[in-house]
Amino acid sequence: MNVSREALTSDGMETRGGFRDECGIFGIADSEDAANIAYLGLYALQHRGQESAGIATLDGELVRVEREMGYVADVFDEARLSRLPGRAAIGHVRYSTAGASHLANAQPIVFATGRGPLALAHNGNLVNAREIRRRLEQSGALFTTTSDSEVILHLVARSKAPDVASALAEALLDVQGGYSILVLSLEGIFAARDPHGIRPLSLGTREGSPVVASETCAFDLIEARFERDVEPGEIVRLSRAGVTGRRFAIANSTPCIFEHVYFARPDSTVFGKSVAASREAFGARLAREHPAEADLVVPVPDSGMYAALGYARESGIPFALGLVRNHYVGRTFIEPKQAIRHFGVKVKLNPVRDVVEGKRIVLVDDSIVRGTTSKKIVRMLREAGVREIHMRVSSPPTMASCHYGIDTPTRRELIAANSSVEEIRQFIGADSLGYLSTEGMLEAFGRPLQATCAACFTGVYPVEIPEEELEKEGAVAR
Ligand code: AMP
């Protein structure tokens, strides 16, 4: 166990600066190869979290778990997977921005409870976890992690409800935020989404066994058939007998638009829509809102690829791969030291001089967060002889932090929260800069603002953020 003490606050939770989750979850209810299939499923979800990976299986009455810091491919080998017998499995990949190792927080989290062993895998963030944890600790609960997810297991374990499904329903009425969760128990695997359905979670079938995953790209890999999404406010039980669902809360669906802008894989269908199609539509709309006189449309790979395709199609300007990404860069190499981080963008991206030299280009990326990536890319492109750089961003200015499970810096560090578009243009050094409008993004997404979580762009949070969380983030003046 290696938990960074500096990152802990007196209430045992970590500060926003020290701990944020982006995660992927996967489950399979009834298969001879449960652990192996979960391993493959996590492989397809690796983009959702690269810090740790874990799988828990149910073998008879026993839950076993293997988890470790690192990529799925590094954490699991044949020997490790063979230590995970059983026909039901859940898995988790996690990413947090904390520099220190956090094995204690790797998931699935496993608890021995009065209703048998329970394992939990969680994607998202609970905004009232701190408050619930305080309440539980006052009545004697001992927490084993600093993660917000653990409160759910405590609530389930303490519930007097007759079965896991009812106990989970009770627990989920207590927590608030954006969450998709899986619970492995003697009564089957339970999958649930928060009443706002902020994070994705889809159901499928593989050789007669129910499967569940954050994104449908996991089903493609394991040759499962997509069935439907877990509905907002629904708990679904997956078992040998099949799938049964029940509502635990009234749905008020506001899915996260940033999943479509950046986070999800383009080959996934998320919230019933193709992510690739959304991104192309954002790019096409961007071309109409911010045209440019240019010779080429160049994406920032990989995140700007589909939006750049949409921009090129709509504008008629040729699409060109003027930047190449090195796909063999691990996060761990570029993260730890300031001296090394300086090379970060250069390690990842390199211009193709032959393609871009002497050209006027439209440079397309999905978002500008702190502005440091765009600044470095613009400088690299100028060094490669690009004549004009018209930066186009396929989402609106990122104005506010996410409190529902996407890693974003605090408001203080978000360039758009503190500068005008013209100031940002000057900072990154582009000849012009244009962002997709919020209306344009929503129209291309096909949902109105009141049926979408676009808090990172609008600062309007569909699930209220407790004052103490905002204070920790520095978003309110004191
Ligand atoms: P920045 O240098 O902070 O402006 O980062 C912008 C780059 O980070 C863009 O290329 C985005 O594709 C990417 N990006 C946006 N959001 C995230 C996120 N939550 N985690 C990791 N990368 C991100």
Side-chain angles (χ1 to χ4, degrees):
M1 190 155 80
N2 181 7
V3 176
S4 140
R5 281 288 135 193
E6 313 81 80
L8 297 182
T9 56
S10 55
D11 54 11
M13 301 280 288
E14 296 189 35
T15 59
R16 272 195 52 81
F19 183 85
R20 282 163 266 168
D21 285 320
E22 282 174 337
C23 302
I25 56 179
F26 179 89
I28 181 156
D30 184 31
S31 165
E32 228 166 81
D33 297 318
N36 279 295
I37 300 293
Y39 165 71
L40 290 173
L42 292 184
Y43 235 108
L45 300 173
Q46 184 76 83
H47 63 290
R48 296 186 71 88
Q50 300 92 41
E51 191 190 80
S52 67
I55 296 173
T57 55
L58 178 68
D59 181 28
E61 303 245 306
L62 213 64
V63 166
R64 292 187 172 85
V65 66
E66 293 285 335
R67 39 180 207 197
E68 189 71 65
M69 308 306 291
Y71 286 8
V72 177
D74 300 327
V75 170
F76 291 101
D77 56 16
E78 223 177 311
R80 199 155 208 180
L81 287 168
S82 73
R83 293 202 291 271
L84 291 167
R87 297 186 64 87
I90 62 169
H92 187 266
V93 285
R94 173 170 178 269
Y95 165 66
S96 94
T97 53
S101 173
H102 280 281
L103 182 56
N105 287 331
Q107 294 190 20
I109 304 171
V110 180
F111 261 39
T113 74
R115 51 181 95 243
L118 296 175
L120 172 90
H122 169 212
N123 168 215
N125 187 52
L126 307 177
V127 297
N128 64 341
R130 210 178 289 273
E131 178 204 317
I132 296 176
R133 182 174 173 135
R134 246 189 330 256
R135 199 179 76 211
L136 291 171
E137 280 177 338
Q138 274 160 11
S139 61
L142 295 173
F143 278 74
T144 59
T145 75
T146 56
S147 150
D148 60 324
S149 316
E150 195 181 340
V151 297
I152 298 175
L153 276 187
H154 278 271
L155 291 170
V156 172
R158 286 171 166 237
S159 162
K160 304 260 184 307
D163 50 43
V164 174
S166 311
L168 187 57
E170 229 178 78
L172 295 180
L173 285 174
D174 227 355
V175 300
Q176 280 158 24
Y179 56 85
S180 285
I181 60 161
L182 299 178
V183 174
L184 177 66
S185 76
L186 297 180
E187 295 169 36
I189 293 175
F190 294 91
R193 270 174 90 200
D194 71 84
H196 288 266
I198 292 175
R199 296 283 142 244
L201 195 59
S202 299
L203 295 168
T205 313
R206 183 186 183 275
E207 292 177 356
S209 169
V211 289
V212 58
S214 293
E215 288 183 39
T216 60
C217 62
F219 298 158
D220 298 339
L221 178 67
I222 60 164
E223 295 176 343
R225 192 179 62 236
F226 167 73
E227 301 289 350
R228 69 174 177 93
D229 283 351
V230 176
E231 295 295 322
E234 186 188 26
I235 295 176
V236 175
R237 175 169 174 258
L238 294 79
S239 71
R240 196 172 294 189
V243 165
T244 47
R246 63 182 261 182
R247 294 262 164 199
F248 69 91
I250 296 166
N252 176 11
S253 181
T254 58
C256 163
I257 199 161
F258 199 68
E259 292 273 354
H260 276 252
V261 167
Y262 169 80
F263 197 42
R265 246 171 64 163
D267 51 338
S268 287
T269 300
V270 170
F271 313 132
K273 289 175 72 79
S274 152
V275 174
S278 288
R279 287 184 192 161
E280 277 206 56
F282 295 152
R285 175 79 192 213
L286 182 62
R288 291 202 293 280
E289 290 185 6
H290 296 285
E293 288 274 319
D295 307 308
L296 300 172
V297 175
V298 174
V300 174
D302 293 325
S303 53
M305 287 285 194
Y306 285 85
L309 267 176
Y311 194 107
R313 280 211 185 111
E314 184 69 21
S315 64
I317 302 170
F319 176 87
L321 294 171
L323 283 164
V324 166
R325 187 183 188 91
N326 181 344
H327 285 109
Y328 305 98
V329 184
R331 281 189 54 80
T332 39
F333 172 65
I334 53 165
E335 283 297 312
K337 287 201 189 112
Q338 191 60 37
I340 295 177
R341 206 184 292 161
H342 167 71
F343 292 105
V345 173
K346 276 199 170 165
V347 173
K348 272 192 205 160
L349 293 171
N350 196 32
V352 186
R353 184 180 274 274
D354 194 50
V355 172
V356 296
E357 191 168 21
K359 299 288 196 302
R360 300 168 303 166
I361 69 166
V362 174
L363 179 66
V364 181
D365 204 356
D366 69 285
S367 56
I368 296 178
V369 183
R370 293 183 181 85
T372 47
T373 307
S374 315
K375 188 184 175 77
K376 286 175 185 164
I377 293 171
V378 167
R379 191 187 304 149
M380 278 193 316
L381 286 166
R382 294 227 191 267
E383 282 165 12
V386 175
R387 194 144 59 90
E388 282 176 27
I389 300 170
H390 301 281
M391 177 96 197
R392 297 293 180 267
V393 184
S394 61
S395 65
T398 307
M399 306 290 281
S401 303
C402 179
H403 288 267
Y404 312 130
I406 298 272
D407 163 43
T408 36
T410 62
R411 230 174 249 224
R412 268 191 299 260
E413 298 162 272
L414 293 171
I415 191 165
N418 302 290
S419 325
S420 67
V421 173
E422 173 53 21
E423 284 165 346
I424 300 170
R425 183 197 68 73
Q426 284 176 21
F427 175 78
I428 66 175
D431 294 287
S432 72
L433 170 64
Y435 284 94
L436 182 61
S437 67
T438 304
E439 309 75 65
M441 177 180 69
L442 291 165
E443 246 176 71
F445 189 48
R447 294 180 75 97
L449 185 58
Q450 64 274 20
T452 308
C453 180
C456 49
F457 305 119
T458 60
V460 178
Y461 294 95
V463 181
E464 200 184 333
I465 314 296
E467 190 87 348
E468 66 171 329
E469 299 300 320
L470 291 173
E471 276 168 14
K472 292 220 150 52
E473 190 214 324
V476 287
R478 302 205 66 187

